[in-house]
């Protein structure tokens, strides 16, 4: 049996801004364009003229290669409902994790996230700048 990798894609309004938030959240970095392209613009141009309602995008990856690639694609319609899949940002279980959970939640609040609920001693439910929900936990 072959194990397959997955990418996670966010439909969004402002791809670069949202990618910037998730860089802070996860420590990810910009993903270079696929070979043989030297820029994302050249790569995108290889698909032909974009559709009139087609927006931009941004791509991130885990610099250690362990986590999934993240894609952020601009779409014309706004988010209208609670997401059915969310990410858990894990700070690690070593030592006493609750202070690290709170510190990460504060860092992400300062980067544009919102705290939705705090479950003392366990996790913090947050939303990114476009309202996508996620948790900060050990």
């Amino acid at each position: 049996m072959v194990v397959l990798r997955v990418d996670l894609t966010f439909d969004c309004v402002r791809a670069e801004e949202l990618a910037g938030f998730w860089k802070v959240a996860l420590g990810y970095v910009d993903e270079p364009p696929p070979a043989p392209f030297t820029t994302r613009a050249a790569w995108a141009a290889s698909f032909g003229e974009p559709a009139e309602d087609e927006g931009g995008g941004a791509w991130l990856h885990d610099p250690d290669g362990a986590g999934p690639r993240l894609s952020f694609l601009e779409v014309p319609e706004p988010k209208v409902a609670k997401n059915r899949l969310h990410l858990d940002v894990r700070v690690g279980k070593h030592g006493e994790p609750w202070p690290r959970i709170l510190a990460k939640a504060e860092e992400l609040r300062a980067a544009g996230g919102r705290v939705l609920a705090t479950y003392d001693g366990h996790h913090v439910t947050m939303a990114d700048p476009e309202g996508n929900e996620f948790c900060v936990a050990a």
Side-chain angles (χ1 to χ4, degrees):
M1 178 174 193
V2 175
V3 175
L4 303 176
R5 287 187 46 92
V6 298
D7 293 346
L8 300 176
T9 301
F10 290 78
D11 288 345
C12 59
V13 176
R14 293 173 302 282
E16 290 291 333
E17 179 182 318
L18 197 56
F21 174 85
W22 285 101
K23 282 184 197 179
V24 172
L26 302 175
Y28 274 36
V29 296
D30 291 318
E31 182 170 274
F37 302 100
T38 57
T39 67
R40 279 283 174 185
W43 171 76
S46 74
F47 294 102
E49 281 296 313
E52 200 169 294
D53 67 348
E54 189 174 325
W59 294 264
L60 303 177
H61 72 273
D62 174 353
D64 295 330
R69 182 175 81 138
L70 301 181
S71 301
F72 302 86
L73 303 178
E74 292 178 357
V75 297
E77 63 276 357
K79 180 180 182 304
V80 295
K82 180 179 190 229
N83 36 309
R84 300 292 290 187
L85 170 73
H86 75 263
L87 302 180
D88 287 339
V89 176
R90 300 285 185 176
V91 301
K93 294 185 182 221
H94 58 280
E96 176 52 47
W98 186 239
R100 289 192 313 283
I101 292 169
L102 293 176
K104 187 65 174 182
E106 178 54 28
E107 177 187 23
L108 296 176
R109 191 203 55 73
R114 288 181 295 123
V115 172
L116 302 177
T118 300
Y119 299 90
D120 286 333
H122 192 263
H123 72 279
V124 177
T125 302
M126 298 187 70
D128 72 16
E130 292 201 10
N132 300 299
E133 295 177 20
F134 65 97
C135 294
V136 179

